[in-house]
Amino acid sequence: MGQHVHAGALDIWTEQVGDGPDVLLIGGLGDTVESWQFQLEGLADRYRLTAFDNRGAGRTTLPDDALTVEAMADDAAEVLLALGIGSAHVAGFSGGSIIAQELALRHPEVVRSLVLQSTWSAMDPYLRAWGEFVRWLVGAAPGEREFLEWFFLFIYTPRAHNDGTVAGIVDEALAFPHKQPPENVQRHLDAFIGHDTTGRLPRVTAPTYVLAGGLDTTARPELGRAVADLIPGARFQVLEEESHQPFQEVPEQWNGLVDSFWQDVESQDPRSSG
């Protein structure tokens, strides 16, 4: 159902489903359209959702020039422009939430609201060390399965590991035909590790909802709280029993929370004429 959209200088793989107010979904490190499966299926009766593969992930190529969060944010804006979408509710997780922050700062006119899942403004020493560890693990793991199994220890709850959910995710990832080369993962990590929006977040004008997982040992709740404190009027919520990606582990709960937020924004936004 997807297609390559010529956005700026890139052909970016994009999928769009549903009908209603526009939503743009931005994935994290190496994640593709498929990471948003439960939102594309669960919210399409209320929204027109657009998801895309970031440059260097999945079916979108990675140019040779420097990879930056700013460039990925500009890609997101170009996707909206190419599809004729004037503005959208924007949701991003992990690295995608950093891209979403930058999108709101660089292109505020296209962002109706922000949902930031598992986010930070700048990596503290702990998170930076974890990022460097993952960068090392990409090259050190004996195989793709081992990398995924070890990496996912930090991403999903023990519950998801014990009930077989993670094993299924690993099998799906191994079968995915559009794999990200290890060097692309490392270049993405370098971009996220070095990025800092701390001093600029007070300039974000879009209504913002920051979500964190209480069991997330990477983008820990205190990092999300710091982001929410910097953005004027931002809401903040911790899902106490969840980890880094609750939108996959408890999609009905996550979709309900985000839908409620978007409905509130729609009710107060003069642009929401349908």
Side-chain angles (χ1 to χ4, degrees):
M1 295 177 61
Q3 62 177 335
H4 279 101
V5 171
H6 190 67
L10 282 179
D11 289 328
I12 297 178
W13 181 261
T14 305
E15 295 191 18
Q16 190 176 82
V17 298
D19 185 50
D22 278 296
V23 170
L24 182 70
L25 303 170
I26 307 178
L29 176 69
D31 291 291
T32 61
V33 166
E34 287 74 15
S35 64
W36 293 108
Q37 172 189 349
F38 294 113
Q39 286 65 54
L40 294 172
E41 295 175 354
L43 291 168
D45 62 331
R46 284 155 281 175
Y47 300 95
R48 183 169 66 169
L49 302 111
T50 301
F52 64 99
D53 293 355
N54 286 316
R55 58 171 62 199
R59 291 139 293 202
T60 302
T61 59
L62 180 61
D64 292 332
D65 51 341
L67 176 62
T68 65
V69 176
E70 290 86 349
M72 290 188 277
D74 290 347
D75 290 343
E78 290 285 357
V79 166
L80 292 176
L81 179 63
L83 294 174
I85 299 172
S87 64
H89 301 290
V90 176
F93 72 89
S94 193
S97 75
I98 310 308
I99 299 169
Q101 291 178 30
E102 198 63 50
L103 177 65
L105 289 164
R106 294 172 69 83
H107 305 277
E109 71 283 356
V110 306
V111 179
R112 294 181 68 177
S113 72
L114 274 179
V115 172
L116 305 174
Q117 172 67 59
S118 306
T119 197
W120 61 89
S121 61
M123 289 191 174
D124 65 359
Y126 181 93
L127 183 55
R128 191 177 303 113
W130 179 79
E132 295 289 356
F133 163 72
V134 175
R135 197 183 191 288
W136 168 84
L137 184 62
V138 170
E144 185 182 5
R145 177 177 290 278
E146 289 83 1
F147 168 76
L148 292 170
E149 289 175 346
W150 298 341
F151 175 65
F152 287 161
L153 289 171
F154 303 93
I155 301 303
Y156 297 104
T157 61
R159 177 187 72 240
H161 285 270
N162 291 336
D163 68 13
T165 298
V166 172
I169 294 171
V170 169
D171 288 341
E172 289 178 4
L174 292 173
F176 186 63
H178 308 285
K179 299 185 187 301
Q180 186 179 35
E183 58 270 20
N184 287 8
V185 180
Q186 292 171 328
R187 288 180 65 188
H188 277 195
L189 277 165
D190 289 343
F192 294 137
I193 289 171
H195 198 68
D196 188 345
T197 57
T198 306
R200 295 178 291 135
L201 284 180
R203 303 208 306 260
V204 172
T205 57
T208 301
Y209 187 20
V210 179
L211 289 154
L215 302 181
D216 191 352
T217 60
T218 59
R220 307 179 314 284
E222 59 264 33
L223 299 179
R225 165 63 78 181
V227 169
D229 287 346
L230 287 167
I231 297 175
R235 304 182 191 181
F236 177 67
Q237 184 169 353
V238 178
L239 305 181
E240 295 291 350
E241 299 302 317
E242 303 309 319
S243 187
H244 198 64
Q245 299 190 177
F247 60 96
Q248 293 176 336
E249 288 200 50
V250 286
E252 291 186 3
Q253 179 186 1
W254 195 89
N255 289 356
L257 292 170
V258 171
D259 179 33
S260 179
F261 170 67
W262 288 334
Q263 294 285 352
D264 286 348
V265 174
E266 286 289 313
S267 70
Q268 301 173 36
D269 190 340
R271 289 175 292 181
S272 59
S273 58

